[in-house]
Amino acid sequence: MAVIIDGRAIAQKIREDAKRRTAALLERGIRPCLAVVLLGEDPASASYVNAKEKALAEAGMDSRDLRLPASTSEADLLALIASLNRDSLVHGILVQLPLPRHIREERVITAIDPAKDVDGFHPVSLGKLVLGQTGFIPCTPNGIAALLRELPITLNGAHAVVLGRSNIVGKPLAILLSRRDINATVTICHTGTKDLASITRQADILIAAAGKPALVSADMIKAGAAVIDVGVNRVEDPSAKKGWRLRGDVDFKAVSEKAAYITPVPGGVGPMTIAMLIRNVAEAAEQAGNLH
Ligand code: GUN
C-alpha cells in the first residue's frame, strides 16, 4: 500500500518561509504584490485564482485582483500588462490560462516583463530553465520537484516518465528533472506514444499530466514506483453536492495498492503549485528591492 504524499503539509512549510521573507520585506517598506488577471467566468479558473489570492493574503502579500470580461480585446489586455510592467508597486504578474480563443496566449505571455514573470512561462524564463540559468521556474513543475525531494527515494539516475508535453507542466518538468541537481533520466510520453504502458512500466517516478481522468491504471506502473498525479479533471458525480468531483489522471485506488508513493487529488500537486507561486512572488519582490 502506497504512502500518500501530503502536498498540503509540504506546501505549508514553503508558504511559512515565504511569509517570513514577506515580513522582512515589510520592515523595509516593501509589500510583495501580485497582479492576478482573469478573463471570463470559467469556474475552475476562478477557483484557482481565488485560492492563489487567499494564499497571498495569508503570506502577508498584496494582490491586485483584475477580473475582466471574456470579451476583452487582445489590445486592451496587452495595454494592461504594459501598465503593470511599469507599476513599481507590482512585483509579479499572473495571467490565468487558458485565455479566450480570440486572444493569442503567446503574445500575452511574451508581453510580461521577465522580472515579473512569476509563472515562469515567458520565453526568457523557459530559456533560462533550459540553459540552467537562474530564473523563475513554472510553479507546478517546481512544486513537483520539491515534492520529490521530500521523498526518501533516490532521484539521481532514476527513470522519470512524464505523461504530457504541455508548455506549463510536461515540457518544463522534463527539463527540470534532467538538470544535474536532480539528475533523473527522463522520458516524455504524449498522444503520439506507441505502447504507452510498456514505457510507463519502466518508470521509477511517473508523473501524469495528460489531463485525462484515470488514464493511468495499475497495470501501467512498476511495483514500488512514486506516482505524481497532476490531473485536476472535473467529472460528473450525482452524489456530490456540486454534481461533480475532482478526478486525477491516475486511478488512485488501484494504483495506490501497487505504488510506493502517490499524490492524492486534491491535496497533492495543487497546493505545491500555489506554494511555489508565493515563493516566486517573494523572490520577485526581493529582487525589485535589490535584496540579493
Ligand atoms: N492555468 C493552469 N495552471 C496555471 C498556472 O500555473 N498559471 C496560470 N497563469 N494559469 C494556469
Side-chain angles (χ1 to χ4, degrees):
M1 197 64 192
V3 171
I4 298 171
I5 303 169
D6 187 348
R8 286 196 184 101
I10 301 168
Q12 192 55 35
K13 288 194 286 182
I14 295 164
R15 285 169 58 169
E16 274 158 20
D17 180 61
K19 193 173 181 172
R20 282 191 288 276
R21 289 165 74 174
T22 300
L25 283 160
L26 286 171
E27 279 186 14
R28 292 164 186 251
I30 298 169
R31 178 147 203 210
C33 174
L34 177 66
V36 181
V37 183
L38 173 62
L39 264 63
E41 317 266 328
D42 175 62
S45 289
S47 96
Y48 297 145
V49 162
N50 292 341
K52 289 171 187 179
E53 289 177 348
K54 188 164 166 253
L56 289 161
E58 276 172 22
M61 296 175 173
D62 209 358
S63 61
R64 219 42 98 75
D65 180 83
L66 299 160
R67 300 193 194 213
L68 306 172
S71 59
T72 303
S73 70
E74 185 181 282
D76 283 351
L77 180 56
L78 292 173
L80 172 64
I81 291 170
S83 78
L84 295 169
N85 283 341
R86 286 190 301 269
D87 190 333
S88 61
L89 295 177
V90 170
H91 305 105
I93 302 170
L94 179 146
V95 179
Q96 185 65 28
L97 304 179
L99 285 166
R101 288 159 62 108
H102 66 280
I103 294 181
R104 287 166 289 182
E105 208 168 275
E106 187 186 318
R107 279 282 199 102
V108 172
I109 291 170
T110 308
I112 296 171
D113 179 348
K116 300 189 179 188
D117 177 36
V118 291
D119 254 331
F121 296 165
H122 191 285
V124 166
S125 303
L126 290 171
K128 286 182 169 177
L129 175 64
V130 172
L131 295 170
Q133 297 173 12
T134 305
F136 291 115
I137 296 173
C139 303
T140 300
N142 210 15
I144 293 167
L147 271 186
L148 291 172
R149 288 181 199 277
E150 291 283 321
L151 302 182
I153 61 173
T154 306
L155 303 179
N156 189 350
H159 187 189
V161 174
V162 179
L163 287 187
R165 59 177 155 191
S166 71
N167 289 339
I168 68 177
V169 183
K171 274 191 254 180
L173 179 63
I175 301 292
L176 191 57
L177 296 180
S178 62
R179 278 185 5 178
R180 279 182 195 280
D181 54 337
I182 293 179
N183 225 23
T185 299
V186 180
T187 302
I188 305 181
C189 297
H190 46 70
T191 46
T193 300
K194 288 183 189 144
D195 196 3
L196 181 62
S198 72
I199 297 169
T200 57
R201 274 196 292 265
Q202 297 171 38
D204 303 308
I205 301 163
L206 180 64
I207 299 119
K212 292 207 179 80
L215 168 71
V216 177
S217 53
D219 62 328
M220 288 170 70
I221 70 152
K222 171 155 95 178
V227 179
I228 309 294
D229 192 349
V230 189
V232 274
N233 310 289
R234 288 187 175 202
V235 296
E236 268 185 49
D237 181 355
S239 72
K241 233 189 298 169
K242 298 174 188 158
W244 57 269
R245 68 186 168 89
L246 283 184
R247 185 106 212 251
D249 285 359
V250 174
D251 179 352
F252 182 84
K253 199 166 174 287
V255 170
S256 59
E257 281 168 25
K258 199 165 172 194
Y261 300 94
I262 190 167
T263 59
V265 177
V269 173
M272 294 300 293
T273 297
I274 293 181
M276 289 303 172
L277 174 68
I278 301 299
R279 176 192 273 183
N280 279 352
V281 175
E283 190 77 31
E286 286 170 0
Q287 281 168 15
N290 284 324
L291 296 183
H292 283 288

